[in-house]
Every structure is written in structure tokens, then in C-alpha cells.
Amino acid sequence: MSNRNPILLAFFILAAGFMTSCDSMKSDSNSSKPKARGGRGEILLVIDSLKYKGPVGDVLEGIFEEDIKGLVREESLFDIRRVDPRTMTRILKMAYNIIYVTTFDDKKPGSRQINALFSQQSREKAQEDPSLYMLRNEDEFAVGQEVIYLFGNNEQELINNLEKNKNKLQNLFEVRERKRLEQAIFSRTNGALESKGKKIFGLDLTIPASYQFVKEEDDNFMWARQPTPNTQRADISLFFYQTNYTSEEQVFPENIIKLRDEILKTRIFGDPAKPQSYLKTETQIPPSFRNINIDGHYAIEMRGQWKTNNVSMGGSFISYVVVDETVGKLYFMEGFLYYPNETHKSALREIEAILMATKFPGKQD
């Protein structure tokens, strides 16, 4: 199937209210296509060079290269590799994630090349409905690939739609990268740790085999760790804690920080022989919070930095506070890492994948 036909078909699907890819947008057979490839978190951005240097490029950078919240050093959400359409090759088209960007009024050579992929009917549909700005096409050039087309009739229209849908676009690739990572890290899991999690909390955990049990306590706490950091792998710890859910005030940001510090103060230390080396939240760099959903349950994500009380150690963490009103419980799940002088993005993505795979006992309506 040619590129033109899927895009034309997609416009009619979008007009009906669908913003996701569908089987009819795939080619009839993928048997002859290569497997998509590319680094984790990498996106190939295909856009005319001059357009990228203007306002559209600024907005794209603000979406896909936004700094990850809660980190000391600057690390972007995704690694962007920009390519002019005129230099696209067969090898580049095998990238795992590709985004084409254009506006139909642009006469620059690179944009004209992308615009040629759209039929006249497609452009007319965009003229009729300026809210249309994105098409998704799976396995277009390679198996396992996602190709996104971001378009507008003019630059201001495209910019408005991109800014309005910033979170959706970020989430699209965050979810895609998380699923990709799950396939790799969940190929082998630690059944003993998962059994302990079920026994203590009633939770269905999915923990990779590389993590080892450290300790449990009082039927409300469990700690696991992936030790021995090196230049290829961070020292990652996971811990789980539960308490009774009694008030909405428990999920106020200041109380989440307070609960975290209470959990850590008597349980996790920089040096086990020194009780005063307990871990605590670094408040000089305020943690960031956002509301999310995990397994159908309301949850709050907290990202920030940790440090030890009196030992020179520190790193990044992601916490999830999950409320399960059906069983009257509040669950605190966290992954924190120690990885000095290295980037934290990949390790944080691994923590996120593990914790968000948790299944909870209470059933939500």
C-alpha cells in the first residue's frame, strides 16, 4: 500500500472522532519489512531545516525535549534526532519512532516533500476542520514502528494544536517507550519477591529477576534492590509500604513528603552501621507532583531528589501514592537510584515501568 492511501484513509477515520491508529492503516503484510530499531527514548524528527529553526521548531523542542522534572541536571524527556526530509534514507526509515512535521502552506523544499504524501482530498479535509493535526501509522516502513504526522494549514494553526495537545503527545511516546521497556525487563521476573508482595500487601507485583530481596518489616514494608552500579547500570532500590487511608489530607503534597521521610528514617540507610545516615527528601529542589491513574486507581506521582542525613550520597526517585478506597488502604511505592556522575533518565524509566505494572486488590467501578 502506498503512503498516500493510508493518509487519505486516516483523515476520514479522524473525522469520525478517532485519534488512534487502526489495523486498516497497516499494510496488508509485514512479512517483507525489517524490524524497527533505535535507541530507547529516541525519536527521529523529520522536518524542513528552515522550519525547524522557526517558531514550530521552538514548540516541538518544548514538547519532546522538555526537561524531566525533579532532576538536578538537565535531561530531556526524549532524545531527538532531526533529519531534513530530503536526506531520509532507507536505513533512517527503519527508526522505531518517526515524526513528520509540515504545514500545507509551506513552499520550502523539505515541507513540499512531506506535503506530497497527502492527497488533495486530505488537504481539503484539513481545511474544513482546523482541529485535525495528527495522524498515526503503525509499521509503515518497519515492523514495530510508529510514524506520526503532525500537520496544519499554516504555522500558527499547527502551533496552536501542538501547544493544546502537548501532554497527549508526550504521553503517547512515554507509554510507547514504557511498553517497549516492559518487554525487555519483564522477560524474567523474581517470583519470590512477587510472592512476598502478594503476601504482605495483596498486590500483584512484576519485578525483574535482577532485583534482590533486602528486607520486610511489620507486614507493611518491603525493600528490593538491583545492586552493583557500573557505567551501564544504576543501583536501583524499590520499596513498598501500606497504611490505612483515613483522610484526603494524606495525599496533600506536604503530607506525602512527610510520609516518605517517616518511612525512610527508620528503614533505609546510606550506611547500615550508622542509623543517622537515613535517607530523606531533598527539599532544596522541590519535588514535582502530578495526578495519574494506575490499574484504575487514583494515584499521585512525586519526582525529586533524595539525600542521606549525614553521609555524602544522593540521587533521584519516583514515588507513587495510590489510594484504594475499596479496601481502605493507601499504598506508597517508590524507586530510588544511586548513579553518581551518570544520566538518570533510563533508570527512572525502568522504575516507572515496574511500579506502574502493579495490580491492586480493590476493584474500581
Side-chain angles (χ1 to χ4, degrees), residues 277-337:
S277 67
Y278 57 84
L279 271 61
K280 61 181 183 180
T281 307
E282 174 58 82
T283 54
Q284 292 299 313
I285 304 172
S288 67
F289 296 84
R290 68 169 178 167
N291 298 333
I292 61 169
N293 184 287
I294 300 179
D295 191 36
H297 296 267
Y298 171 73
I300 297 176
E301 177 189 86
M302 175 171 64
R303 290 175 179 258
Q305 296 291 301
W306 63 269
K307 64 180 181 180
T308 51
N309 184 52
N310 64 354
V311 177
S312 182
M313 292 180 66
S316 305
F317 72 84
I318 305 177
S319 306
Y320 294 106
V321 176
V322 183
V323 174
D324 192 337
E325 294 187 77
T326 59
V327 296
K329 290 292 184 182
L330 183 147
Y331 300 97
F332 193 106
M333 313 185 298
E334 177 171 308
F336 65 88
L337 64 106

Side-chain angles (χ1 to χ4, degrees), residues 2-12 104 112-127 135 149 151 153:
S2 69
N3 293 338
R4 186 181 300 265
N5 288 337
I7 293 177
L8 173 59
L9 176 59
F11 265 109
F12 290 101
F104 297 137
R112 287 207 311 267
Q113 187 163 329
I114 299 176
N115 292 343
L117 301 173
F118 293 80
S119 69
Q120 184 60 37
Q121 294 98 318
S122 298
R123 297 191 194 191
E124 291 173 358
K125 202 71 181 176
Q127 288 281 357
L135 300 175
Y149 293 85
F151 57 87
N153 293 302

